[in-house]
Amino acid sequence: MRTRISFLRLFIISIFSSLLFITSCGIKSQEGLVLITVSDKNHAEPDYFTGEYWRYIPGSRLLLIDPDEPGKEPELLTDEFFSACSPEVSFDGKSIAFTGQKNENDSWQIWELTLKNKRFRQVTSGKENSIDPVYLPGDRLLFSRFIKNDSLKGEYNLFTCNSDGRNLNRITFNPHTYFASSILNDGRVITISSQLYPLKEKSSMMILRPDGTKSELFYQGAGGSTIFSRGRETENGNIVFIETSDSLKSGSSLISINYNRPLHSRSNLTSSSTGDFCSVAPYRPGKLLVSFRPKKTQRFALYSFDSEKKSLENPIYSFDGYDVLEAINIKEHEKPKKLPSEVDAGVKTGQLLCQNINISGMTSPETTFPFMQADRIEIMGLDSSLGVIEVEKDGSFYLKVAADMPFRIKSIDNKGKVINGPGGWIWLRPNERRGCTGCHEDQEMVPANRLSLAVKKNPVSVPVHVTGIKEKIVELE
C-alpha cells in the first residue's frame, strides 16, 4: 500500500514539474530586449515650453526589439493606442509606464503595461495632459501634469501618486514648467525646468526630493542651450543627456556631467561628431543607447555609443520611414533609495535660514575685501513685495514662510540699492527646513563653521504683514 502511494506521489510530482517546464519555456523572458519609441510623421519643431512635438508626440508607437537579432521582426506593443511614448521600465523589469493617447482627440495620460501578459492599466485620468512617468520607490509614480490657469503661473507641474493613481500630490510650486524627469540612485529626482514668469527662460536641470523639498539647481548649460532629453545615470556615476545649442550648426550633442560636480564637470562626448542626437540611455558596461541621425534629411536610428572612446558604433536598429526617438533597455535594475519625508500637511509654514547674504558665487566677504555690503532683503511674491527685512550684523536671516508659496529674494543696502537678485523662485513645503550659505552662492561652497546670529531669535514670518499664522504645533529639530 505504501509503495503504491509513494509511486502515485512521484507520478504527480513528475507531471507537475513537466507542466511547469513546458509553461516556462513558452514564456520568453523580456530581459535584454530594448523598448523603442518610433514615429513616421514629420512634425513641427518641438516646443520646449509646452512639450508639444517633444515630450508628447502624436502618432508615436512603442516597439520591442532584440538587439542580438537585428533581422527579427519587432513586436508592436501599443497597437490599440493612437499615440504612445516616453516609456520607463519598472525596477523589477516586468512592467513599463508610458505616456499614452487612446484616441486622437483624447488627453494624454499615464498608462502601465505588464510585459508578461500584455495587459494595460490606466493610471491617471482627466481632461488635462499627464506625461513623462517615473517609477519611485514605495510603489509610487512621478509625472508632469498640466494645470490650466494655474494660480502660480506655471503650466506642467510635478505630481506623485500611488501606482493605481490614488493619493495624488502636487510637489512643485513656482511659475515654471517641468518635463523629462528621472530618478537617481540616491532617491532624488532630476527634471528639466523652464521659468515662465516674469520672463521665459531657457531650460535648466533641477534636482529635488520626491516630496518636493530641497529643490535646487543641478545643471545649467551655456547661454542659448536647451536640455532636450531625460538625464540618465550611468554605472560610473555620470549623468548623460542630450543638449541643443542655438549657436551650434552641427546639431545636438551628447553631454555627460559628474554626479559629484554637476555644475563644473560638463563634457561633450560628441564634440567631434556631426549630426543630431535625440535621446540617450544606459545599455551595457561602457555602452549607451543613442538615437542619432547623420543629417537632418535622414531619419533617426538606434545606435550603440562607446562612452569611453566617445564614438558611435554600428546601428542597432533602423526602421524605413520611421524615426527611432527613444530607447530603453528592458532589465531589472537597482531600486533607488527611498528618502524619508519631512512634509507634514498639518504645518502651514516652512523655515529658511541664510548664513550671509553678502556671499555670492565663490566669493565671501569673510575672506575677500573690499565687498559691497547689503544689510537687508526684500521678499518678492508673484505680484507684489512680501516685505523688507533687516538682516543680522553677520548677514544672516531666518524666515518662517507660508508653505507652497513661490517667492524670490533680493539683497539691498540701506539706501535701497539692489546688491544682488532677485534670484530664482523658491518654495518651502509644509514643515520643510532649508538653509543656504548666501545669495546666488556656488552650490559647492561650504558654509562657515559658526552659529548665525539669526537663529538666536524667532524667525520672521513671511508675508511680513501677515501675523498669527495658525498651524499645527510640531517639534522641529
Side-chain angles (χ1 to χ4, degrees):
M1 185 67 179
R2 290 181 179 177
T3 304
R4 289 180 179 178
I5 293 175
S6 300
F7 178 78
L8 182 60
R9 284 177 179 174
L10 182 62
F11 179 75
I12 293 173
I13 291 172
S14 64
I15 292 295
F16 182 71
S17 300
S18 300
L19 288 173
L20 282 178
F21 177 77
I22 293 171
T23 303
S24 63
C25 289
I27 301 174
K28 186 182 186 302
S29 172
Q30 310 292 339
E31 187 86 10
L33 300 184
V34 173
L35 179 64
I36 62 174
T37 303
V38 300
S39 175
D40 63 345
K41 301 183 183 300
N42 292 313
H43 296 294
E45 287 295 315
D47 190 318
Y48 298 110
F49 292 103
T50 68
E52 191 172 10
Y53 303 120
W54 173 40
R55 300 314 308 162
Y56 50 97
I57 306 163
S60 52
R61 299 285 188 271
L62 297 182
L63 304 179
L64 266 182
I65 64 169
D66 189 338
D68 296 323
E69 297 184 39
K72 186 177 180 180
E73 190 74 16
E75 180 183 0
L76 175 61
L77 296 178
T78 55
D79 55 337
E80 56 188 271
F81 286 78
F82 177 75
S83 310
C85 59
S86 303
E88 282 289 283
V89 178
S90 61
F91 304 128
D92 60 10
K94 296 179 180 179
S95 302
I96 61 169
F98 64 96
T99 303
Q101 188 185 34
K102 266 281 189 175
N103 303 298
E104 184 173 2
N105 296 320
D106 290 349
S107 61
W108 294 80
Q109 299 299 331
I110 306 302
W111 293 76
E112 187 175 48
L113 168 65
T114 303
L115 291 170
K116 182 178 179 179
N117 56 25
K118 303 299 188 294
R119 290 183 179 177
F120 292 96
R121 180 171 59 86
Q122 187 172 350
V123 178
T124 63
S125 60
K127 295 181 180 180
E128 307 298 344
N129 291 338
S130 294
I131 62 176
D132 282 340
V134 179
Y135 282 99
L136 299 177
D139 199 29
R140 289 182 65 78
L141 289 168
L142 177 141
F143 56 94
S144 299
R145 187 173 197 172
F146 183 79
I147 298 183
K148 188 176 183 180
N149 300 322
D150 183 26
S151 61
L152 301 184
K153 303 182 187 297
E155 288 189 357
Y156 277 91
N157 295 270
L158 293 183
F159 283 76
T160 63
C161 69
N162 294 345
S163 60
D164 59 6
R166 293 184 296 178
N167 192 17
L168 184 69
N169 289 307
R170 179 175 176 172
I171 65 168
T172 54
F173 299 88
N174 61 349
H176 281 224
T177 191
Y178 293 88
F179 296 107
S181 305
S182 60
I183 188 167
L184 301 180
N185 290 331
D186 68 5
R188 295 182 297 169
V189 172
I190 54 173
T191 182
I192 299 176
S193 176
S194 299
Q195 179 180 287
L196 300 179
Y197 177 85
L199 298 173
K200 287 188 174 181
E201 295 183 354
K202 287 285 188 177
S203 62
S204 58
M205 191 173 286
M206 305 296 292
I207 191 164
L208 69 162
R209 293 187 171 210
D211 61 0
T213 61
K214 308 298 187 287
S215 171
E216 62 183 9
L217 179 67
F218 190 70
Y219 168 83
Q220 189 165 35
S225 65
T226 299
I227 304 169
F228 188 79
S229 74
R230 295 187 199 249
R232 301 289 191 182
E233 189 172 13
T234 65
E235 76 282 350
N236 60 359
N238 291 330
I239 288 85
V240 291
F241 53 91
I242 308 302
E243 186 177 78
T244 66
S245 174
D246 296 339
S247 63
L248 292 177
K249 296 182 180 180
S250 59
S252 52
S253 302
L254 172 55
I255 304 299
S256 173
I257 57 177
N258 188 273
Y259 169 87
N260 295 317
R261 300 199 70 197
L263 290 170
H264 304 283
S265 58
R266 181 184 185 275
S267 174
N268 187 344
L269 301 182
T270 55
S271 56
S272 60
S273 302
T274 58
D276 290 307
F277 291 83
C278 185
S279 68
V280 59
Y283 183 33
R284 292 168 179 170
K287 309 289 183 180
L288 302 170
L289 288 170
V290 296
S291 171
F292 173 76
R293 64 181 181 188
K295 299 178 180 179
K296 292 187 181 298
T297 55
Q298 296 177 305
R299 292 284 193 175
F300 284 100
L302 183 63
Y303 289 76
S304 174
F305 185 89
D306 191 313
S307 57
E308 296 178 359
K309 297 179 180 179
K310 299 182 180 180
S311 62
L312 278 171
E313 299 183 325
N314 293 329
I316 294 176
Y317 184 77
S318 61
F319 200 178
D320 288 342
Y322 284 77
D323 284 308
V324 180
L325 301 176
E326 303 165 297
I328 189 167
N329 210 15
I330 303 290
K331 68 173 184 177
E332 182 179 359
H333 53 284
E334 184 179 354
K335 184 179 294 186
K337 294 178 182 178
K338 184 180 179 181
L339 298 175
S341 176
E342 62 186 316
V343 173
D344 185 338
V347 179
K348 304 305 179 184
T349 61
Q351 298 188 30
L352 175 66
L353 169 67
C354 176
Q355 190 173 61
N356 189 345
I357 64 172
N358 289 305
I359 293 176
S360 180
M362 290 296 286
T363 303
S364 170
E366 297 168 345
T367 58
T368 305
F369 297 94
F371 194 87
M372 296 180 68
Q373 191 74 21
D375 64 358
R376 61 200 66 197
I377 57 171
E378 184 172 9
I379 315 297
M380 309 295 295
L382 285 171
D383 301 310
S384 63
S385 173
L386 301 178
V388 176
I389 300 168
E390 289 190 14
V391 301
E392 300 298 324
K393 292 181 180 180
D394 62 352
S396 64
F397 66 79
Y398 184 27
L399 306 178
K400 178 187 285 187
V401 185
D404 298 338
M405 177 189 70
F407 63 96
R408 297 187 294 169
I409 297 176
K410 61 181 178 182
S411 60
I412 54 181
D413 63 17
N414 55 15
K415 296 180 181 180
K417 181 181 179 180
V418 177
I419 303 301
N420 216 328
W425 292 100
I426 307 169
W427 75 89
L428 299 174
R429 300 303 326 276
N431 195 40
E432 181 179 1
R433 297 287 296 271
R434 291 192 65 176
C436 58
T437 304
C439 290
H440 307 286
E441 81 279 13
D442 191 282
Q443 299 292 337
E444 294 187 4
M445 176 171 280
V446 178
N449 186 20
R450 60 176 172 79
L451 179 66
S452 298
L453 294 177
V455 299
K456 296 181 178 181
K457 302 178 180 179
N458 292 328
V460 178
S461 293
V462 178
V464 174
H465 59 275
V466 176
T467 58
I469 297 176
K470 295 181 180 180
E471 60 179 290
K472 175 182 175 181
I473 298 176
V474 297
E475 187 69 27
L476 294 176
E477 296 181 358

Coordinates of all heavy atoms in Angstrom, one line a residue, residues 259-298:
Y259 N 28.1 63.2 -11.2 CA 27.2 63.3 -10.1 C 27.7 64.2 -9.0 O 26.9 65.0 -8.4 CB 26.9 61.9 -9.6 CG 26.1 61.9 -8.3 CD1 24.7 61.9 -8.3 CD2 26.8 61.8 -7.1 CE1 24.0 61.9 -7.1 CE2 26.1 61.7 -5.9 CZ 24.7 61.8 -5.9 OH 24.0 61.8 -4.7
N260 N 29.0 64.1 -8.7 CA 29.6 64.9 -7.6 C 29.8 66.3 -7.9 O 29.8 67.2 -6.9 CB 30.9 64.2 -7.1 CG 30.7 62.8 -6.6 OD1 29.8 62.6 -5.8 ND2 31.5 61.9 -7.0
R261 N 29.9 66.7 -9.2 CA 30.2 68.1 -9.5 C 29.4 68.4 -10.8 O 30.0 68.8 -11.8 CB 31.7 68.3 -9.8 CG 32.6 68.1 -8.6 CD 33.9 68.8 -8.8 NE 33.8 70.2 -8.7 CZ 34.7 71.1 -9.2 NH1 35.8 70.7 -9.8 NH2 34.5 72.4 -9.1
P262 N 28.1 68.4 -10.7 CA 27.3 68.6 -11.9 C 27.4 70.0 -12.5 O 27.3 70.1 -13.8 CB 25.8 68.4 -11.4 CG 25.9 68.6 -9.9 CD 27.2 68.2 -9.5
L263 N 27.7 71.0 -11.7 CA 27.8 72.4 -12.3 C 29.2 72.7 -12.9 O 29.3 73.7 -13.6 CB 27.5 73.4 -11.2 CG 26.0 73.4 -10.7 CD1 25.9 74.3 -9.5 CD2 25.1 74.0 -11.8
H264 N 30.2 71.8 -12.7 CA 31.5 72.1 -13.1 C 32.2 70.9 -13.8 O 33.4 70.8 -13.8 CB 32.4 72.5 -11.9 CG 31.8 73.7 -11.1 ND1 31.9 75.0 -11.5 CD2 31.1 73.7 -9.9 CE1 31.3 75.8 -10.7 NE2 30.8 75.0 -9.7
S265 N 31.5 70.0 -14.4 CA 32.1 68.8 -15.0 C 31.5 68.5 -16.3 O 31.7 67.4 -16.8 CB 31.9 67.6 -14.0 OG 30.5 67.4 -13.8
R266 N 31.0 69.5 -17.0 CA 30.4 69.2 -18.3 C 31.4 68.7 -19.3 O 32.5 69.3 -19.5 CB 29.7 70.5 -18.9 CG 29.0 70.4 -20.2 CD 28.5 71.7 -20.7 NE 27.7 71.6 -21.9 CZ 28.3 71.6 -23.1 NH1 29.6 71.7 -23.3 NH2 27.5 71.5 -24.2
S267 N 31.0 67.6 -20.0 CA 31.9 67.1 -21.1 C 31.0 66.7 -22.3 O 30.0 66.0 -22.1 CB 32.6 65.8 -20.6 OG 33.3 65.2 -21.6
N268 N 31.4 67.3 -23.4 CA 30.7 67.0 -24.7 C 31.3 65.7 -25.3 O 32.4 65.7 -25.8 CB 30.8 68.1 -25.6 CG 30.0 67.9 -26.9 OD1 29.5 66.8 -27.2 ND2 29.7 69.0 -27.6
L269 N 30.6 64.6 -25.2 CA 31.1 63.3 -25.7 C 31.1 63.2 -27.2 O 31.7 62.3 -27.8 CB 30.3 62.2 -25.1 CG 30.2 62.1 -23.6 CD1 29.4 60.8 -23.2 CD2 31.6 62.0 -23.0
T270 N 30.4 64.1 -27.9 CA 30.3 64.1 -29.3 C 30.8 65.3 -30.0 O 30.3 65.7 -31.1 CB 28.8 63.8 -29.7 OG1 28.0 64.8 -29.1 CG2 28.4 62.4 -29.2
S271 N 31.8 66.0 -29.4 CA 32.3 67.2 -30.0 C 32.9 67.0 -31.4 O 32.9 68.0 -32.2 CB 33.3 67.9 -29.0 OG 34.4 67.0 -28.8
S272 N 33.3 65.8 -31.7 CA 34.0 65.6 -33.0 C 33.0 65.0 -34.0 O 33.3 64.6 -35.1 CB 35.1 64.6 -32.8 OG 34.7 63.4 -32.2
S273 N 31.7 64.8 -33.5 CA 30.7 64.2 -34.4 C 29.8 65.3 -35.0 O 29.6 66.4 -34.4 CB 29.8 63.3 -33.6 OG 30.6 62.2 -33.1
T274 N 29.3 65.1 -36.2 CA 28.3 65.9 -36.8 C 27.0 65.1 -36.9 O 27.0 63.9 -37.1 CB 28.7 66.4 -38.2 OG1 29.0 65.2 -39.0 CG2 30.0 67.2 -38.1
G275 N 25.9 65.8 -36.8 CA 24.6 65.2 -36.8 C 23.8 65.6 -35.6 O 24.2 66.4 -34.8
D276 N 22.7 64.9 -35.4 CA 21.7 65.2 -34.3 C 21.5 64.0 -33.4 O 21.3 62.9 -33.9 CB 20.4 65.6 -34.9 CG 20.4 67.0 -35.5 OD1 20.9 67.9 -34.9 OD2 20.0 67.1 -36.7
F277 N 21.5 64.2 -32.1 CA 21.2 63.2 -31.2 C 19.8 63.5 -30.6 O 19.5 64.7 -30.4 CB 22.2 63.1 -30.1 CG 23.5 62.5 -30.5 CD1 24.5 63.3 -31.1 CD2 23.8 61.2 -30.3 CE1 25.7 62.8 -31.5 CE2 25.0 60.6 -30.8 CZ 26.0 61.5 -31.3
C278 N 19.0 62.5 -30.3 CA 17.7 62.8 -29.9 C 17.4 62.2 -28.4 O 16.7 62.8 -27.6 CB 16.6 62.1 -30.8 SG 14.9 62.4 -30.4
S279 N 18.1 61.1 -28.1 CA 17.9 60.5 -26.7 C 19.1 59.7 -26.4 O 19.9 59.3 -27.3 CB 16.6 59.7 -26.6 OG 16.7 58.5 -27.4
V280 N 19.2 59.4 -25.1 CA 20.3 58.5 -24.6 C 19.9 57.7 -23.4 O 19.0 58.2 -22.6 CB 21.6 59.4 -24.3 CG1 21.3 60.4 -23.2 CG2 22.8 58.5 -23.9
A281 N 20.4 56.5 -23.3 CA 20.1 55.7 -22.1 C 21.2 54.7 -21.9 O 21.9 54.3 -22.9 CB 18.7 54.9 -22.3
P282 N 21.5 54.3 -20.6 CA 22.5 53.3 -20.4 C 22.1 52.0 -21.1 O 20.9 51.6 -21.2 CB 22.4 53.1 -18.9 CG 21.9 54.4 -18.4 CD 20.9 54.8 -19.4
Y283 N 23.1 51.2 -21.5 CA 22.9 50.0 -22.3 C 23.6 48.8 -21.7 O 23.1 48.1 -20.9 CB 23.3 50.2 -23.7 CG 23.0 49.1 -24.7 CD1 21.9 48.2 -24.5 CD2 23.9 48.8 -25.8 CE1 21.7 47.2 -25.4 CE2 23.7 47.8 -26.6 CZ 22.6 47.0 -26.5 OH 22.4 45.9 -27.3
R284 N 24.9 48.7 -22.0 CA 25.8 47.7 -21.4 C 27.0 48.4 -20.8 O 27.2 49.6 -21.1 CB 26.2 46.7 -22.5 CG 25.0 45.8 -22.9 CD 25.2 45.1 -24.2 NE 24.1 44.2 -24.6 CZ 24.0 43.6 -25.7 NH1 24.9 43.6 -26.6 NH2 22.9 42.9 -26.0
P285 N 27.9 47.7 -20.1 CA 29.0 48.4 -19.5 C 29.8 49.2 -20.5 O 30.3 48.6 -21.5 CB 29.9 47.2 -18.9 CG 28.8 46.2 -18.5 CD 27.8 46.3 -19.6
G286 N 30.0 50.5 -20.3 CA 30.7 51.3 -21.2 C 30.0 51.7 -22.5 O 30.5 52.4 -23.3
K287 N 28.7 51.3 -22.6 CA 27.9 51.5 -23.8 C 26.6 52.2 -23.5 O 26.1 52.1 -22.4 CB 27.6 50.2 -24.5 CG 28.8 49.2 -24.7 CD 29.7 49.8 -25.8 CE 30.8 48.7 -26.1 NZ 31.8 49.2 -27.1
L288 N 26.2 53.1 -24.4 CA 25.0 53.8 -24.3 C 24.1 53.5 -25.5 O 24.6 53.2 -26.6 CB 25.2 55.3 -24.2 CG 26.1 55.8 -23.1 CD1 26.5 57.3 -23.3 CD2 25.5 55.6 -21.7
L289 N 22.8 53.6 -25.3 CA 21.9 53.6 -26.5 C 21.6 55.0 -26.9 O 21.2 55.8 -26.0 CB 20.6 52.9 -26.1 CG 20.5 51.4 -25.9 CD1 19.2 50.9 -25.2 CD2 20.8 50.6 -27.2
V290 N 21.8 55.3 -28.1 CA 21.5 56.7 -28.6 C 20.6 56.7 -29.8 O 20.8 55.8 -30.7 CB 22.8 57.5 -28.8 CG1 23.6 57.7 -27.6 CG2 23.7 56.8 -29.9
S291 N 19.8 57.7 -29.9 CA 19.0 57.9 -31.1 C 19.8 59.0 -31.9 O 20.0 60.1 -31.4 CB 17.6 58.4 -30.8 OG 16.9 58.8 -31.9
F292 N 20.1 58.7 -33.2 CA 21.0 59.6 -33.9 C 20.7 59.6 -35.4 O 20.3 58.6 -35.9 CB 22.5 59.1 -33.7 CG 23.5 59.8 -34.6 CD1 23.9 61.1 -34.2 CD2 24.0 59.2 -35.7 CE1 24.8 61.8 -35.0 CE2 25.0 59.9 -36.5 CZ 25.4 61.2 -36.2
R293 N 20.9 60.8 -36.0 CA 20.8 60.9 -37.5 C 22.0 61.7 -38.0 O 22.3 62.7 -37.4 CB 19.5 61.5 -37.9 CG 19.3 63.0 -37.5 CD 18.0 63.5 -37.9 NE 17.9 64.9 -37.5 CZ 16.7 65.6 -37.6 NH1 15.6 65.0 -38.1 NH2 16.7 66.9 -37.2
P294 N 22.7 61.2 -39.0 CA 23.9 62.0 -39.5 C 23.5 63.3 -40.1 O 24.3 64.3 -40.1 CB 24.5 61.0 -40.5 CG 23.9 59.6 -40.2 CD 22.6 59.9 -39.6
K295 N 22.3 63.3 -40.8 CA 21.9 64.6 -41.5 C 20.4 64.8 -41.2 O 19.7 63.9 -40.9 CB 22.1 64.4 -43.0 CG 23.5 64.2 -43.4 CD 23.6 64.1 -44.9 CE 25.0 63.8 -45.4 NZ 25.1 63.6 -46.9
K296 N 20.0 66.1 -41.3 CA 18.7 66.5 -41.0 C 17.7 65.9 -42.0 O 16.5 65.8 -41.7 CB 18.5 68.0 -40.9 CG 19.3 68.6 -39.7 CD 18.9 70.1 -39.6 CE 19.7 70.7 -38.4 NZ 19.3 70.1 -37.1
T297 N 18.2 65.5 -43.1 CA 17.3 64.9 -44.2 C 17.1 63.4 -43.9 O 16.3 62.8 -44.6 CB 17.9 65.1 -45.5 OG1 19.3 64.6 -45.6 CG2 18.0 66.6 -45.9
Q298 N 17.8 62.8 -43.0 CA 17.7 61.4 -42.7 C 16.8 61.2 -41.5 O 16.5 62.1 -40.7 CB 19.1 60.8 -42.5 CG 19.9 60.9 -43.7 CD 21.3 60.3 -43.5 OE1 22.0 60.7 -42.6 NE2 21.7 59.3 -44.3

